[in-house]
Amino acid sequence: MRFRSVIVASGLLWGALCWAQTSSSTGAASTQAINAQNENNLCRIYFMRPKPGQDQQLEAGRKKHNQFHRSQNDSWTWNTWIVQTGDLTGRYVTSTCGHAWKDFDVWEAKMGKPDAADAAVNLGPYIQDTSNGFYLYRADMSLAPPNQPPAPMTAVTIYNLHPGAGPDFIAAIKKINDALGKQPDWPKTSGWLQLVNGGESPSFVLLNARQNWAGFEPLSKSVADVLTEVYGQDGGNQILKTIRDSTARLWTETAEYRSDLSYIPAK
């Protein structure tokens, strides 16, 4: 759930390169299967930094803006978190997920202008800066299925990769998941997002659900231990080396879910 924004053109370029290289290495049939797994898994995620001392006003404005969504019978869910650790502490993050690209055209035609007008009144005066991006939930890379109810807390790890490193990184993550999936006691709560437009790319975001701070305690067995059991010492080390060699920059954050600032449509 935490992410950055930069140049749309470069995001599109590297996203296209990652998909092209994945396609050439896995074959058309495999690519079709991956696309099917990730269909309708697109998220748009907004990041807002409040003006100094304006946190309470921004939260009040978010609640009013949610009432606007309710008055318009908006069928989309808008979940909100606040970042609790790291350089972006205090940022509010609001996302809507489970969409295809064409869904955003339909939503914009119905809601776009009135939504922007209401946000300008209820949110705009209290925001110092904002950004947003599109992310794909990679069900084929995740242990948790898409569109799960938000956990109270989320441990977030952001990987900015070296150009062209996407295919090797993805393959290594899938090997890790294959190993972890064989562990009956391993929590199946992790999910991966891939930035596809609106920031530094290639970028992947690992989300791990947590119920509370106690949930951050290390497990009795590490990922490295599991990889050694499944692939042997050399095989496990090589997988972890691929992750390290693919990564240009890595950082972590913790996000707290704010149900009071979220909009869930009536069923």
Side-chain angles (χ1 to χ4, degrees):
M1 186 194 67
R2 249 339 302 43
F3 334 87
R4 299 268 203 264
S5 58
V6 172
I7 302 171
V8 170
S10 88
L12 287 170
L13 172 62
W14 288 118
L17 285 175
C18 283
W19 281 110
Q21 292 174 23
T22 302
S23 177
S24 64
S25 63
T26 60
S30 178
T31 300
Q32 290 175 356
I34 290 171
N35 289 342
Q37 279 183 278
N38 297 320
E39 188 176 8
N40 298 326
N41 282 348
L42 196 65
C43 302
R44 190 168 191 177
I45 304 175
Y46 294 82
F47 311 96
M48 296 182 179
R49 179 167 61 147
K51 292 178 179 178
Q54 300 284 288
D55 303 59
Q56 292 184 357
Q57 291 90 330
L58 181 57
E59 290 191 7
R62 170 58 68 184
K63 292 176 182 179
K64 290 179 181 178
H65 190 57
N66 287 342
Q67 287 297 333
F68 160 79
H69 284 276
R70 189 165 289 108
S71 71
Q72 299 297 306
N73 295 315
D74 188 5
S75 61
W76 287 16
T77 295
W78 298 87
N79 286 312
T80 295
W81 292 259
I82 184 169
V83 181
Q84 296 286 16
T85 63
D87 291 344
L88 299 186
T89 296
R91 293 284 179 100
Y92 292 87
V93 183
T94 298
S95 72
T96 182
C97 293
H99 306 296
W101 280 108
K102 63 182 179 181
D103 296 340
F104 291 93
D105 293 321
V106 176
W107 190 91
E108 285 288 342
K110 176 186 177 183
M111 295 280 295
K113 289 184 178 180
D115 178 77
D118 188 85
V121 172
N122 288 315
L123 299 175
Y126 316 114
I127 296 173
Q128 181 162 327
D129 57 63
T130 183
S131 63
N132 73 91
F134 288 92
Y135 293 78
L136 181 68
Y137 186 85
R138 292 294 301 262
D140 61 311
M141 295 174 62
S142 303
L143 292 176
N147 300 316
Q148 295 296 295
M153 304 179 76
T154 302
V156 183
T157 306
I158 302 96
Y159 294 80
N160 281 157
L161 306 186
H162 294 292
D168 289 342
F169 181 84
I170 292 169
I173 294 301
K174 289 183 177 182
K175 288 180 180 178
I176 292 173
N177 283 345
D178 286 343
L180 298 180
K182 295 180 172 67
Q183 304 293 311
D185 297 330
W186 194 274
K188 308 303 190 294
T189 58
S190 61
W192 283 92
L193 295 172
Q194 179 183 0
L195 175 68
V196 293
N197 189 290
E200 297 178 43
S201 189
S203 290
F204 290 81
V205 183
L206 174 60
L207 308 173
N208 276 291
R210 298 286 186 264
Q211 294 301 309
N212 46 41
W213 289 112
F216 285 76
E217 288 282 355
L219 299 174
S220 58
K221 185 185 295 186
S222 70
V223 171
D225 293 335
V226 174
L227 294 181
T228 297
E229 288 180 6
V230 175
Y231 299 111
Q233 187 75 52
D234 291 342
N237 287 342
Q238 183 56 51
I239 293 170
L240 295 177
K241 184 177 185 299
T242 298
I243 299 293
R244 292 193 300 271
D245 291 347
S246 299
T247 304
R249 192 162 70 99
L250 179 150
W251 69 96
T252 61
E253 298 167 350
T254 300
E256 178 189 2
Y257 181 61
R258 292 292 301 270
S259 59
D260 60 320
L261 302 180
S262 301
Y263 169 74
I264 312 297
K267 295 182 179 180

